[in-house]
Amino acid sequence: MAMKHFTIQDAATMYGVKEWGYGFFGINSKGHLEVYPTRDENLSCDIHEVVTHLHKKGIRTPVTLRFPQILATRVTELNEAFHKAMKEYDYEGDYQGVFPVKTNQIKEVVDHIVKAGYKYRYGLEAGSKAELMIALSMNLHAEALVTCNGYKDESFIRIALLALKAGRNVLITVEKMTELPLILKVAKELKVEPLLGLRMKLNAMGSGKWESSAGDHAKFGLNTQEILDTVDTLERRGLLDSVQELHYHIGSQITDIRKIKAAIKEATRVYAKLVKRGVPLKYLNVGGGLGVDYDGSRTTFHSSMNYTMEEYAADVVYTTKDICTQEQVPVPNLLSESGRAIVAYHQVLVVDVIGLIDTTHTKYRVELSGQEPQILKELAYTRDNISVKNFAEMYHDAITQKDELITLFNLGYLGLDDRAKGEILFWEVCRKLSRILSYKSLKYIPEEFQDLNKSLADKLIANFSLFQSMPDHWAIDQLFPVMPIHRLKEKPTLSATLCDITCDSDGKVEKFIDLKDVRDEIPLHEPKSGEPYYLAFFLVGAYQDTLAMRHNLFGSVNEAHVIVNEDEDFRIQQIVPAQTTDDVLKSVHYDPDELVEGPTRRRKISANSDANEALKTALTEQRKLHTYLEMN
């Protein structure tokens, strides 16, 4: 029977594009990855063509591609989801979102979000003085809110209150009791009545990696008694009208919609009880946590979510109205601080594969002459006779034989040639076993063989730094979708993991998304000599830019902002060059001029002045270049 031809539909299924891509990504008839920035199939462009175009302009990989239209789409979808739910449930309040700047502080990103959100009176949330300066500089709608969260000192509070006095809608969230006297002191000095929010600690918890950020032991927020004490203090001072908002946050990337429902029920009860006590609350802020389905599984797994944005908005709106109706109080205007869901999709990291590490000797096969040591004959026998009937026994023999091989070598009874042949024979046994385990006739695979494919996986070297471009994968095991951006009409022949170019054993990607589980390897193509092979990491738009680390002094990568036009065309709106070697050296307090002169000035080198000058020239040229490998 002829083998089935590999199709782009097969590739889409293999990499799960339809599931995690959420309509923003697909595969075109060329077998290239396509982006649909408005989730409209009539507006798209070929990502491989974008990378090729940039390469011709001298912008090499690794490169970050930003799609501003995706940002606009996500801002619109979030606001419309709430407006649709409010219309459906006859909700008499309003919705205003704020984007938390901490999620992605890149100027162009915030600019695009503010522009897209202007008609929705979409605001910004600042958690530091620097972020507040960013928020106040933006061209926000006159009614848009700037919310100030996190711990604050007097200068933070002063800037916020001065901005309020100047006409901006700046709302200060009280995170702890000691902040309130300071806020009131500065407000009195400036002769301005503050706009205040009260952040409460809910009993309800989130789900996923950040569920411990809520509850009784949360870092931020006031407990019930502290909220009552704050209300009493403000009432005594005649400032109760300044309390505009009740706020809570139960964690980032909430995976389970039931947790969201539980939190909004509890929070709305607190809101209603405070309103009944005479607190003139205007807003209920449901915080962040709206998730992103990184693996496309629609589950409560930490890299997924079991709900949609529309379900999220509908549940928040319905539950709030239901509780307020029970309590017979007016519904609040709703605020949310979704960040991850807004920015994750807009950013794609494209890297080039620069090599393959053959850890299992796939390019070699051993044929014995009969004169080899007995241990090699035994390994060869195991390789030639392992079958579906005896694979467990034979594999155990191979493990024992390999151990004996190393022992004999260490005792001096075997030479290097013998050791090399023995290692090749062992891996031949493993590869044959892997093929046996793939037989459909096998109803049960023993647990000891579950990790075999991982040990057989090839290692592809990709020209990037995991610590610079995807620190969350290293730090908290965050999964990001990864796949080739071309050759998607070809069936992959490799089962691989990825290594970056840092001098760190942790600089690797060995966990990949899967609809049913986490994969230890991913199907990829064998690189062709003289041709680039590009891989892309997706959904990296949230947090990765600012959390990036300069491990090995690899700096930021090249960046291109891409606008998709009709007729599958595109234009490069902006290019942000990668950090140069000069940039990263200065960031750790070196003087590049001294480093260029150092090799010749600090040592008494007289042997070859021409070489010294050539070295100086090479170092001078490198100062202007980016820190990644320059591949042809």
Side-chain angles (χ1 to χ4, degrees):
M1 182 183 292
M3 291 185 65
K4 180 179 177 292
H5 180 65
F6 191 79
T7 67
I8 58 175
Q9 287 75 26
D10 294 327
T13 300
M14 178 177 287
Y15 296 111
V17 183
K18 291 181 180 178
E19 287 75 22
W20 58 258
Y22 198 59
F24 288 118
F25 301 99
I27 303 173
N28 64 25
S29 59
K30 298 177 184 178
H32 293 174
L33 199 72
E34 196 94 347
V35 60
Y36 305 91
T38 62
R39 297 210 281 130
D40 181 347
E41 291 186 359
N42 295 316
L43 189 70
S44 67
C45 79
D46 185 318
I47 290 181
H48 184 261
E49 289 183 5
V50 173
V51 173
T52 302
H53 172 79
L54 291 170
H55 192 278
K56 290 177 180 178
K57 293 173 69 70
I59 307 300
R60 304 295 182 91
T61 46
V63 61
T64 288
L65 304 179
R66 297 191 192 276
F67 296 95
Q69 290 154 299
I70 293 181
L71 293 172
T73 299
R74 294 300 279 168
V75 169
T76 298
E77 288 175 344
L78 177 63
N79 281 274
E80 291 300 329
F82 270 96
H83 292 158
K84 178 183 176 183
M86 288 176 167
K87 182 177 181 180
E88 179 178 352
Y89 296 118
D90 295 321
Y91 193 89
E92 295 180 356
D94 203 353
Y95 169 75
Q96 276 187 266
V98 294
F99 171 72
V101 177
K102 68 180 179 183
T103 318
N104 194 314
Q105 296 106 330
I106 299 297
K107 182 180 185 301
E108 294 82 4
V109 172
V110 181
D111 279 340
H112 286 300
I113 289 171
V114 168
K115 183 178 179 181
Y118 189 88
K119 64 180 178 181
Y120 296 110
R121 298 169 297 145
Y122 200 57
L124 296 170
E125 180 264 319
S128 69
K129 286 176 273 191
E131 289 182 353
L132 180 56
M133 290 178 69
I134 291 171
L136 295 177
S137 73
M138 292 291 161
N139 182 32
L140 297 173
H141 189 284
E143 297 177 18
L145 285 167
V146 173
T147 59
C148 299
N149 295 348
Y151 295 147
K152 307 163 198 71
D153 62 6
E154 184 169 342
S155 61
F156 191 152
I157 293 167
R158 186 175 298 277
I159 292 170
L161 291 174
L162 283 170
L164 175 65
K165 191 172 183 179
R168 305 298 291 266
N169 285 335
V170 181
L171 191 153
I172 302 174
T173 302
V174 180
E175 304 276 4
K176 54 179 181 162
M177 286 295 291
T178 54
E179 287 181 347
L180 184 61
L182 192 56
I183 294 169
L184 297 180
K185 168 183 169 292
V186 178
K188 183 177 181 180
E189 178 187 326
L190 296 177
K191 298 179 180 179
V192 59
E193 183 173 322
L195 295 181
L196 298 178
L198 304 180
R199 179 164 173 172
M200 58 179 158
K201 290 182 179 179
L202 294 183
N203 182 67
M205 305 279 282
S207 58
K209 288 183 180 292
W210 290 273
E211 63 180 282
S212 62
S213 62
D216 292 336
H217 302 290
K219 177 180 176 182
F220 299 107
L222 309 174
N223 61 38
T224 308
Q225 187 59 55
E226 288 173 330
I227 289 176
L228 294 174
D229 289 346
T230 300
V231 168
D232 289 343
T233 297
L234 292 170
E235 189 169 24
R236 286 196 304 271
R237 299 198 179 195
L239 291 171
L240 195 57
D241 287 346
S242 66
V243 183
Q244 299 278 297
E245 173 209 41
L246 186 65
H247 175 213
Y248 71 88
H249 182 69
I250 59 170
S252 182
Q253 181 64 17
I254 301 171
T255 61
D256 191 347
I257 191 65
R258 293 174 300 175
K259 302 292 187 177
I260 292 169
K261 291 178 182 179
I264 192 65
K265 283 182 180 179
E266 182 183 350
T268 308
R269 287 289 182 191
V270 175
Y271 160 83
K273 303 300 184 186
L274 287 173
V275 169
K276 286 182 175 182
R277 290 176 70 104
V279 183
L281 290 169
K282 183 178 180 181
Y283 302 104
L284 177 60
N285 186 339
V286 301
L290 176 58
V292 169
D293 196 358
Y294 288 93
D295 68 3
S297 66
R298 286 292 300 274
T299 66
T300 58
F301 180 59
H302 65 75
S303 289
S304 185
M305 56 192 279
N306 66 357
Y307 57 97
T308 65
M309 182 183 282
E310 290 74 20
E311 290 175 74
Y312 169 80
D315 281 340
V316 169
V317 170
Y318 174 82
T319 305
T320 304
K321 180 179 179 180
D322 183 48
I323 300 297
C324 288
T325 300
Q326 294 176 30
E327 294 280 351
Q328 296 183 326
V329 298
V331 296
N333 293 324
L334 293 172
L335 290 177
S336 75
E337 298 177 350
S338 300
R340 186 186 300 269
I342 297 296
V343 295
Y345 289 94
H346 93 281
Q347 188 171 335
V348 179
L349 172 69
V350 181
V351 305
D352 50 312
V353 171
I354 60 174
L356 186 151
I357 303 173
D358 184 13
T359 57
T360 62
H361 306 79
T362 56
K363 296 181 179 179
Y364 302 96
R365 178 171 173 82
V366 173
E367 298 296 340
L368 301 186
S369 65
Q371 304 302 312
E372 289 82 6
Q374 181 63 26
I375 189 62
L376 295 186
K377 294 177 182 178
E378 293 175 6
L379 272 164
Y381 178 86
T382 303
R383 175 198 65 185
D384 296 337
N385 291 278
I386 189 171
S387 69
V388 69
K389 295 181 179 180
N390 65 11
F391 66 83
E393 177 188 351
M394 284 291 197
Y395 179 66
H396 296 153
D397 288 346
I399 294 291
T400 302
Q401 289 157 359
K402 185 186 179 188
D403 290 342
E404 185 179 345
L405 174 84
I406 299 303
T407 300
L408 290 170
F409 175 79
N410 288 339
L411 291 172
Y413 294 116
L414 297 178
L416 279 175
D417 290 342
D418 294 328
R419 173 171 172 163
K421 289 179 182 178
E423 290 173 347
I424 295 168
L425 285 166
F426 174 77
W427 287 113
E428 286 184 314
V429 172
C430 292
R431 285 195 294 277
K432 195 169 181 180
L433 173 59
S434 179
R435 291 192 292 272
I436 290 170
L437 295 175
S438 67
Y439 292 168
K440 293 182 179 179
S441 59
L442 283 177
K443 296 181 180 180
Y444 170 72
I445 298 175
E447 187 175 345
E448 64 181 304
F449 301 120
Q450 298 293 330
D451 291 335
L452 181 65
N453 284 340
K454 179 180 179 181
S455 67
L456 288 171
D458 295 289
K459 294 183 183 296
L460 292 180
I461 307 169
N463 189 16
F464 82 114
S465 164
L466 179 70
F467 308 94
Q468 172 64 222
S469 295
M470 293 194 305
D472 271 352
H473 183 78
W474 166 75
I476 59 172
D477 295 323
Q478 174 65 54
L479 297 179
F480 296 99
V482 56
M483 64 178 290
I485 65 170
H486 58 146
R487 296 178 62 180
L488 294 169
K489 295 171 77 173
E490 302 175 36
K491 186 174 182 178
T493 57
L494 300 180
S495 180
T497 61
L498 300 174
C499 302
D500 72 2
I501 59 172
T502 65
C503 295
D504 196 305
S505 58
D506 284 343
K508 59 190 176 182
V509 182
E510 294 182 329
K511 297 294 181 183
F512 302 90
I513 68 164
D514 185 81
L515 290 182
K516 297 180 180 179
D517 202 352
V518 177
R519 297 190 59 155
D520 294 322
E521 24 68 40
I522 184 174
L524 294 173
H525 308 86
E526 186 164 358
K528 297 177 181 178
S529 178
E531 294 183 16
Y533 184 50
Y534 297 119
L535 304 178
F537 296 92
F538 299 86
L539 279 60
V540 294
Y543 297 105
Q544 304 316 294
D545 288 295
T546 306
L547 293 177
M549 292 172 279
R550 296 188 298 268
H551 195 346
N552 278 151
L553 295 188
F554 286 109
S556 63
V557 304
N558 285 313
E559 185 175 308
H561 298 238
V562 185
I563 299 297
V564 180
N565 301 319
E566 295 180 356
D567 301 321
E568 298 184 347
D569 193 15
F570 64 88
R571 65 180 173 87
I572 305 301
Q573 183 184 57
Q574 182 178 359
I575 289 175
V576 181
Q579 285 183 310
T580 64
T581 304
D582 245 18
D583 295 331
V584 294
L585 287 171
K586 289 176 181 177
S587 73
V588 286
H589 309 161
Y590 287 95
D591 182 342
D593 291 331
E594 286 188 6
L595 297 184
V596 169
E597 297 292 339
T600 55
R601 188 181 69 240
R602 299 187 182 198
R603 297 177 184 173
K604 295 180 180 179
I605 301 175
S606 58
N608 191 328
S609 59
D610 290 341
N612 286 335
E613 285 304 313
L615 173 59
K616 191 173 180 179
T617 299
L619 292 172
T620 300
E621 290 175 352
Q622 179 57 47
R623 290 178 59 177
K624 304 173 185 176
L625 302 176
H626 70 58
T627 54
Y628 294 87
L629 302 185
E630 295 283 347
M631 309 305 294
N632 294 325

